[in-house]
Amino acid sequence: MHTVAVLALDGVIPFDLSVPVDAFGWARLPDGRAPYRVRVCSVRKEVSAGAFEVRAPYGLDALAEADTIILPGVADPPEVLPQGVAEALRAAAANGTRIASICVGAFLFAATGLLDGLRATTHWVAAADLAERHPEVTVDPNVLYVDNGQFLTSAGAAAAMDMCLHMIRRDFGSAVAAHAARMSVMPLEREGGQAQFIVHDLPPAPAGAALEPLLRWLEDHCDRDLTLEEIAARAGVSTRTLNRRFREQAGTTPLQWLHRARVRRAQYLLETTAHTVDRIAVQAGFGSPTAFRERFRRVVGTSPQAYRRAFRAAV
């Protein structure tokens, strides 16, 4: 059997811990046999998991016997791992063990140095912090998971299931992975990436900034075919001054800010109305449905239709 060791450190996030236990535990071969043996291990016998405690049956020595090691996130990822953890993970990696992290478990993974020079992901809220703490890791906040072969990382929460199903398919084929997906009421593959779940707020301007009235006006009129010259005229400045002020106060250009405002309006309309995509393209100020679809996919990471299926409220 393929042994999966799930490493529960103090402060482990319960959902992150339970997903691999269930995903690999649900997998079944065509003859009904379980292909995985799942073991929860830790530095100590009992670790905090927020509202309750978890008793881990196995210690760090179980990592040496594992074929796959899963690193769930912890509530407050430490800068330095508990004694013996980094050494055990590096030794397992040297022996060819597959290692994968869930959500902010990427911080634990990166702290071992094993992700240096590799692409990785984590929950989009924590992506900037991971990149700052570990500049040697290329952090991609727009994907559900990253597979580097031996090392994998996943984004937050449900993306852990996407990654686990991907590993099951790698190990035992699509039929076994599809069964595990059905048991978890999950599609075997989801369209798009993590970017579709990010709230794409408009680039902020400091409170009291001179641009505030103009930004409000732009948001209210983003459905219009506005040019840079028209925006500058509205602000009563030259286009050169307008660009400089946007860079200083909003950290972007006027047209980039306008494009983001249009995408945010489109997201709202897709979530709350039954309007066609072509109509929403007009309502959000895009020149054509094709331009709308291309811009939306570039910013959100999925198509307008797929976004609507995932997020539309009952109307």
Side-chain angles (χ1 to χ4, degrees):
M1 296 179 73
H2 185 115
T3 300
V4 177
V6 184
L7 180 59
L9 298 182
D10 202 43
V12 66
I13 297 171
F15 188 87
D16 291 7
L17 175 63
S18 64
V19 166
V21 172
D22 283 345
F24 291 107
W26 283 329
R28 288 293 181 272
L29 297 175
D31 61 6
R33 288 181 299 119
Y36 295 100
R37 177 192 299 112
V38 182
R39 293 174 172 173
V40 177
C41 54
S42 186
V43 178
R44 304 197 312 269
K45 283 291 184 183
E46 293 186 354
V47 295
S48 169
F52 54 90
E53 290 192 338
V54 173
R55 184 173 181 84
Y58 298 91
L60 287 181
D61 54 343
L63 300 183
E65 303 171 0
D67 301 291
T68 295
I69 297 172
I70 307 292
L71 303 176
V74 297
D76 186 17
E79 295 278 358
V80 179
L81 296 178
Q83 185 175 0
V85 172
E87 293 79 5
L89 291 172
R90 285 195 287 263
N95 287 330
T97 302
R98 180 173 62 187
I99 303 176
S101 64
I102 293 173
C103 194
V104 292
F107 285 81
L108 310 177
F109 205 168
T112 66
L114 293 171
L115 292 180
D116 289 3
L118 298 178
R119 181 167 158 260
T121 193
T122 186
H123 194 294
W124 62 268
V125 167
D129 188 20
L130 179 64
E132 183 177 355
R133 280 206 212 179
H134 300 280
E136 61 280 0
V137 179
T138 301
V139 180
D140 185 347
N142 296 315
V143 295
L144 296 175
Y145 59 86
V146 174
D147 182 353
N148 287 297
Q150 185 182 1
F151 303 143
L152 300 89
T153 53
S154 75
M161 183 62 74
D162 294 281
M163 181 183 68
C164 289
L165 292 173
H166 169 71
M167 288 191 285
I168 293 170
R169 183 167 53 185
R170 264 181 47 181
D171 295 339
F172 296 102
S174 296
V176 175
H179 175 267
R182 286 193 297 271
M183 292 298 295
S184 56
V185 197
M186 276 278 294
L188 187 53
E189 288 186 1
R190 281 195 286 165
E191 184 175 357
Q194 194 176 182
Q196 64 189 295
F197 302 100
I198 299 172
V199 178
H200 292 278
D201 292 328
L202 299 173
L211 283 179
E212 278 190 295
L214 178 62
L215 298 185
R216 288 195 297 270
W217 182 84
L218 281 174
E219 190 169 1
D220 290 339
H221 297 83
C222 67
D223 58 321
R224 290 176 48 185
D225 184 17
L226 297 170
T227 65
L228 186 61
E229 288 73 22
E230 287 176 288
I231 299 172
R234 175 72 188 186
V237 297
S238 67
T239 56
R240 182 176 180 180
T241 299
L242 181 72
N243 276 315
R244 177 172 54 80
R245 287 185 182 175
F246 260 82
R247 287 291 187 190
E248 292 172 351
Q249 298 180 32
T252 187
T253 69
L255 293 181
Q256 286 173 337
W257 197 98
L258 182 60
H259 286 320
R260 184 56 60 87
R262 287 169 172 162
V263 168
R264 187 69 193 97
R265 174 172 289 189
Q267 287 178 295
Y268 174 77
L269 293 171
L270 288 165
E271 293 167 14
T272 60
T273 75
H275 298 170
T276 66
V277 170
D278 286 5
R279 181 178 174 184
I280 289 174
V282 174
Q283 291 173 308
F286 290 91
S288 69
T290 300
F292 167 51
R293 289 181 173 88
E294 290 176 353
R295 175 68 61 173
F296 192 90
R297 182 176 287 278
R298 192 179 312 156
V299 173
V300 183
T302 190
S303 69
Q305 293 92 334
Y307 184 89
R308 166 170 273 165
R309 286 195 298 271
F311 293 102
R312 184 183 169 193
V315 293

